[in-house]
Amino acid sequence: MPQRGGSPAPRLAALEEEAEPGRRCAPRSHLGLREPAALEMELLPLWLCLGFHFLTMKWKNGSGMAMVASQGGCKLGDGIADCRGQNLASVPSSLPSHSQTLILDANPLKTLWNHSLQPYPLLENLSLHSCHLGLIGLDAFQGQGHLHSLALADNCLSENYKETAAALHTLPDLRRLDLSGNSLTEDMAALMLQNLSSLEAVSLARNTLMRLDDCVFEGLEHLRELDLQRNYIFEIEGGAFDGLTELRRLNLAYNNLPCIVDFGLTQLQFLNISYNALEWFLAAKEEAAFELEMLDLSHNQLLFFPLLPQCSKLHTLLLRDNNMGFYRDLYNTSSPQEMVAQFLLVDGNVTNITTVSLWEEFASSDLAALHFLDMSQNQFQYLPDGFLKKMPSLSHLNLNQNCLMMLHIREHEPLAALTELDLSHNQLSELHLAPGLTGCLKSLRLFNLSSNQLQGVPTGLFANASNITTIDMSHNQVLLCPQPAPLDRAGPPSCVDFRNMTSLRSLSLEGCGLGALQDCPFQGTALTHLDLSSNWGILNGSIAPLQDIARTLQVLSLRNVGLNSGFTELDFSGFGNLRDLDLSGNFLTSFPRFRSSLALQTLDLRRNSLTALPQRAVSEQLLRSLQTIYLSQNPYDCCGVEGWGALQHLKSVADLAMVTCNLSSKVIRVLELPGGVPQDCKWERVDMGLLYLVLILPSCLTLLVACTVIFLTFKKPLLQVIKSRCHWSSIY
């Protein structure tokens, strides 16, 4: 493969001659037989020649060793010279002259001297990131007619910005310029960008820009990308971007803009104004066609739904973390004139009044092409009539962490294109479905209703939902079908039926207050992920309700469900594909059973009542498959624990440092146990009956001897006292 900017073949040939002077590869003109040693000596130069040529071709073609060390520690290859972090005080002059990309990041250059880049006339990309540059010489870029991309981020260019500006003006074909992180003001930036009409992408991020007027970007008619994030911009004068007729991407994130009014950049496709202080966004009231496709207004202080262009191609709208709401309920609906807000816009001596409806400000916006809408973390209490009707192409709708109390899905608001719907962390107590809309969620794949106040869902909500794969209804007081006959009710709340949902793969029912599962609640499904945690007594002594999905389950969470080892059916041998099992927070006193061909990778047994692990728990089969096991927060007995010697050498016990056991009323870390059997454990292993006999027998014998001695000592006086008291007659 020929090298750009010249071929190193002559240099390589010279190196070959220097390595083996006088060597010649003579042609083989005869086939006479020679001695083996002589033949090997004759072929040795040939093999060396072929080997060196092979290495040379590998280097030339960029295969094999793509990067080779060069002078000064720089890495070279394919026209790239990478010298980052080499503690260079100046630009090296011994690099290949045909280099097209030069990376000098993280070097203490401080000054880019005149003609320091002269040895590299073919440079197209130059990166001087974090080089402590405070001065760039006037002729530093002299002769760099091919330079298209220049990165000067994180330097000190504000110190001598006039000299830097003069140097930049010598680059007539520069297309990409990165000036981020240089403490530049808007005046400095305007001077540096002056007369650089060829620029297509500019980054002024992380500077000290505060106010933009029509002089900052004057003459940049070819600019397509502009990054102004992380500045201190609080005001943008009218017409500041009017000269940027080719601008397509504008990033104003992390600034201090209070509002956007009369937005009229029709050519813009991407606009990011997140993390500002916006209270409203008002597009220009004109019928011009906007090219806007993505608008990010998240993490602001918007009070109202943004007034968007009347004609646009908007497909992504991000409104996360604002103060938005619809305010129809705050006004008397019989007085429409009181349901509007008037914005007084003062621009110099001109005063404009913009009237916006407080509850249907979206009515004039063009949302027909919208695919992704994020309205999470706001204050929406309801959705107005016709809100979803304007979004026939909507596929992702995020409304989590709002104040929704009810949601009505009406006939004229079809959700046929919706694939993801997130209504979690609201106050939903009612979910209504208009008659005849049983198949409205036919395209839905993810449905999140967690952390609400639902007691049921409309009948037929999941009917014909043939594509749904994930449902999260955790932390709602719902019932599962089938229910026992005495619990059947004629009216709401009705049970939720997941049976025969063939597409369903993940189901979360954590903290739903579910009673004991009846037979076959998941019949006809192929669930791979199931979470039944925090439903006390849901299994009721048997895992039989899970047998229908035992062969497909991969992740099962049974945390805090009241399991104990008295459950004779706590046997997971039939769960052949189970990879993750969470049994924490129960009352297990023994290890659960598993089949011989185990696929289990993660097992959580924390916060149970385990006092010992049987030897089979640390068998080779279990240890071979398990990658992570949690065993802490159990009342282990230091004298009764088996297999700890093997576990201490395993990396699979994720919380081994926190595993403790009880030894003579003391809590000891398992890792701190002595190597042998503790002395206290030796006493506990002795036959207690024999121990008691040994301790009591000497005491009894001592007492018997003492009584005998006392009796013999006081025998005669004692008998006389007894006779006198009992009036016994003496026998003579």
Side-chain angles (χ1 to χ4, degrees), residues 407 496 723:
L407 181 65
V496 184
K723 287 179 181 181

Side-chain angles (χ1 to χ4, degrees), residues 315-330:
H315 62 69
T316 301
L317 179 58
L318 306 179
L319 302 172
R320 181 185 181 93
D321 188 19
N322 279 280
N323 300 318
M324 291 188 301
F326 295 114
Y327 305 99
R328 179 180 183 180
D329 295 341
L330 299 180

Side-chain angles (χ1 to χ4, degrees), residues 19-84:
E20 298 184 57
R23 175 183 57 82
R24 295 290 184 270
C25 297
R28 299 177 63 182
S29 57
H30 57 276
L31 299 176
L33 297 177
R34 297 177 180 268
E35 292 293 328
L39 182 60
E40 291 177 2
M41 292 299 296
E42 182 177 348
L43 292 178
L44 181 58
L46 177 61
W47 290 118
L48 291 175
C49 178
L50 292 176
F52 192 83
H53 181 69
F54 176 77
L55 292 176
T56 301
M57 293 302 296
K58 295 280 267 185
W59 181 82
K60 289 173 62 179
N61 293 332
S63 58
M65 294 185 297
M67 304 289 286
V68 296
S70 181
Q71 198 172 28
C74 300
K75 297 179 180 179
L76 309 176
D78 197 20
I80 301 175
D82 189 350
C83 302
R84 73 185 76 189

